[in-house]
Amino acid sequence: MNVLVVAEHDHVSIKSATLNVVTAALQCGSQVHVLVAGEAAASAAQAAARVAGVSRVLHADAPQLAEGLAENVAAQVLALAPSYSHILFPATSGGKNVAPRVAALLDVAQISDVTRVVSADTFQRPIYAGNAIVTVKSGDPVKVVTVRATGFDAAPADGGSAEIEAVTAVADSGMSTFVERVVVKSERPELGDARIVVSGGRALGSSEKFNDVLTPLADKLGAALGASRAAVDAGFAPNDWQVGQTGKIVAPQLYVACGISGAIQHLAGMKDSKVIVAINKDPEAPIFSIADYGLEADLFEAVPQLMSAI
Ligand code: FAD
């Protein structure tokens, strides 16, 4: 069975979630091909070819693919779809933008947010904010799947030597136009990729305090900053820092939750972290039930003390 992985990339390198998707793909079928759709993305195609387990890279290069517009990328995937039993995307904003279009146009049901491949047609995925795992068996001829990156180890980025095949780019659909990309430049690791995440909740009280208390700790640990939805909704932290069911799903080596109660919707986004540290002044806070290390303390005292001890 041939499996197509639709790569997420920045035209130079492959985004890390793609490596996790390759691992899932190898559990679906023996031949894993990666589509790199972009403009002047030869470096990304070469990076994809080095990923262990990838047997072929399909490189579609055209101006209309430069910005990853969902309509054009979906059309590119559809042009290749007849050769594949499975089409896999990372369950990222990008993947979730394209996969439903592909599934709808192939008239198949999308299988979303897969965390385990049981067999080529059977998958597991979390439901009810991760409180239950459902096993889904698909009878569709093509399985269109989004893969939760934290459910699978990353395939080694080196060790492969796949051939790179140039494929004909589809015409511009004309259905959407790229206007502008606003990218926040940060020295910090990306939240989804970070090895350490320092996260803050409503307890921080203001964006100034969020910054004053948590930024030095994150700087010292080389961590990404995250936040609960309550902190985001209150304007203490930007939207793209939200961790949880309706935010980002992260599984870093270390997750430090400061003044976060541990509502199920928050836990859904971080409970797979390897080591969880919680600082909360309420001993009954649910976050303590999943924390490896819990500190019952006022964060405004505990975090500076932690800082000076590191
Ligand atoms: P609170 O629940 O108010 O907790 C604050 C905590 O700080 C308390 O435990 C308190 O004891 C502690 N505290 C207070 N002062 C201090 C201090 N000085 N020192 C130490 N500790 C202190 N939430 C998410 O986070 N992510 C999501 O993606 C998300 N999606 C949602 C989707 C839906 C459909 C719904 C209904 C809700 C969602 N929520 C999400 C919201 C979620 O239910 C909670 O409301 C939210 O997570 C609470 O955030 P919090 O822990 O910061 O705030």
Side-chain angles (χ1 to χ4, degrees), residues 149-201:
T150 56
F152 298 87
D153 291 336
D158 286 301
S161 57
E163 61 171 299
I164 301 176
E165 182 188 332
V167 295
T168 308
V170 291
D172 186 1
S173 73
M175 292 167 74
S176 57
T177 312
F178 176 75
V179 177
E180 185 190 13
R181 185 182 305 276
V182 180
V183 181
V184 180
K185 292 241 183 315
S186 168
E187 296 296 305
R188 291 187 189 291
E190 258 190 63
L191 182 54
D193 295 339
R195 292 187 68 253
I196 303 178
V197 174
V198 172
S199 224

Side-chain angles (χ1 to χ4, degrees), residues 6 49 55 57 61 72 78 122 128 144 153 158 176 179 189 193 251-252 270 272 284 286 304:
V6 180
S55 48
V57 172
D61 195 281
N72 290 348
L78 285 165
T122 307
Y128 302 124
V144 175
D153 291 336
D158 286 301
S176 57
V179 177
D193 295 339
M270 45 64 74
D272 292 330
E284 304 294 323

